[in-house]
Structures are given as structure tokens and as C-alpha cells.
Amino acid sequence: SVGFKLILLSLGAMNFFGLTYLGSGSGNNLIRALNVSSFSDDEFETAYKQTDKFNAGYIESHEFRILFSRVYGGEPPEYEVTFMINKFKMNPDPKISWEAFSAALQELREFAKGRDANAATEFNSASEYQDAMHKHARVQYGPQEKFRTPELTSHEYGWYAPTKVEHQPRKPKNHCEETLYASQMIQSGIYF
């Protein structure tokens, strides 16, 4: 009976600290567990060549997400893709060679080293967590800074950047013959 209670208590503690399985099905959803430093230049070069479909010797910035997805084998961290897009945003030539990409990749690795490796571990004990919740303190890192994809359904709202809504021109309302006849009758003063 005492052993059973200890098991139930430990399961409750596991739920409390988030040790139960949640999320997307990939065990490497934590950004700190897998980032750009986890892959070699050879892996990126292979993905670069696969992304360069016509063997033109260059790719364009809109293909970065595809390239990173090939390397990661899934959804890459958003900050890495955004870093690379912003790096080449002001470049007048949209063509990005392997040499330019490789140099930017080294900068990204330096940037990734500067990020907090413990982003997903904000509390070291239950008492720290309880104190923070008692003080209504905000967490240091948001879900997008901790995880590659949404872990919970509530994370899905606002997870991805909003897209621009295309302007749809208004089209005049076309009326059928009966509606046109009825509107002409009303205009002439005949109400039915």
C-alpha cells in the first residue's frame, strides 16, 4: 500500500514537472537538444545541392526553410531560418552561392552558441516554481524559444507568423432575370 502511494506520488510529480509525453511525436522538439551546431557542413552541403534543383550553383533565400527541413528531417527552429533570411534580405543579388551560405552558417552557429542552453529548464526545484507562480512572475522564455513545434494545442494559436491576407477585389453582384424584373417593377411603383 505504501509503495503504491509512492508510485502515485511520483507520477503526480512527473506530471507536475512536465515529464509526461506531450507534443509532436519527435523526441527532439527542444531547441536546445538539436540546433544548427548539431550538424556538419557536409550535411548542409548535401541539403544545399538537393535544394539547388537545376545545379545552377546557387539557391535563393525563400528556399532556406526547405534546406533546413532537409537537414533536420523535420521542422527547423524558427530563429535559425529567420536569421538566415534576414542575413540575405538586403543582398541585391538574390542568388546565394554555397560559399556565401557557408559563411552565414558559421555566423549562425556563433549566434546559436550565445543562446541560453537551458532555455527549457527555468526552474531547478518545485519550490522555485511555486515561488515564481506565487509572485505571478512571467516565465523567462516563451514556448517558441523553447520548442521547435507546438507542444500543446494552446501553443498552436499564434505559433506561426501571420501571413498577409491577399486583397480580393470586390465583384459586382450579378442578378438573375427574375431579380432584375422584380427590381424594375419596384422602381416603376408596382409592389407585389
Side-chain angles (χ1 to χ4, degrees):
S1 173
V2 173
F4 181 70
K5 288 181 182 177
L6 286 175
I7 291 172
L8 287 178
L9 286 174
S10 66
L11 287 175
M14 287 173 62
N15 288 338
F16 176 77
F17 285 110
L19 298 177
T20 58
Y21 182 75
L22 297 172
S24 62
S26 95
N28 292 327
N29 198 25
L30 286 176
I31 287 178
R32 70 183 171 107
L34 190 66
N35 63 19
V36 70
S37 301
S38 304
F39 301 101
S40 68
D41 284 344
D42 294 335
E43 290 171 303
F44 274 102
E45 188 171 10
T46 303
Y48 182 92
K49 289 177 181 176
Q50 289 173 350
T51 306
D52 180 15
K53 295 176 187 171
F54 302 111
N55 294 326
Y58 66 88
I59 62 171
E60 295 182 7
S61 61
H62 65 85
E63 296 173 308
F64 285 148
R65 187 172 306 280
I66 298 167
L67 189 146
F68 276 85
S69 296
R70 285 186 173 147
V71 172
Y72 278 90
E75 189 69 27
E78 187 63 32
Y79 81 90
E80 292 180 1
V81 176
T82 306
F83 180 90
M84 293 298 274
I85 289 172
N86 290 339
K87 179 75 178 155
F88 293 101
K89 186 181 280 186
M90 297 300 179
N91 193 1
D93 185 19
K95 300 174 183 176
I96 301 163
S97 66
W98 165 248
E99 291 76 21
F101 178 80
S102 180
L105 192 60
Q106 296 309 319
E107 288 181 39
L108 177 58
R109 286 186 174 132
E110 291 300 317
F111 176 72
K113 282 182 188 175
R115 288 180 62 92
D116 188 4
N118 294 324
T121 311
E122 294 185 42
F123 305 105
N124 293 322
S125 68
S127 62
E128 283 182 28
Y129 173 76
Q130 289 171 347
D131 290 343
M133 293 301 110
H134 181 70
K135 295 175 185 174
H136 300 288
R138 290 185 179 263
V139 291
Q140 187 176 3
Y141 301 100
Q144 288 181 331
E145 296 171 319
K146 294 180 190 179
F147 305 107
R148 201 170 286 110
T149 57
E151 282 288 305
L152 305 170
T153 305
S154 62
H155 289 173
E156 292 174 3
Y157 297 102
W159 188 271
Y160 301 104
T163 57
K164 285 187 174 180
V165 178
E166 293 182 19
H167 175 69
Q168 296 292 330
R170 292 183 171 239
K171 297 179 181 170
K173 187 175 181 181
N174 295 327
H175 299 285
C176 65
E177 294 178 18
E178 290 84 4
T179 308
L180 291 174
Y181 178 76
S183 65
Q184 288 175 358
M185 285 182 60
I186 291 170
Q187 287 175 354
S188 67
I190 302 173
Y191 298 99
F192 53 95

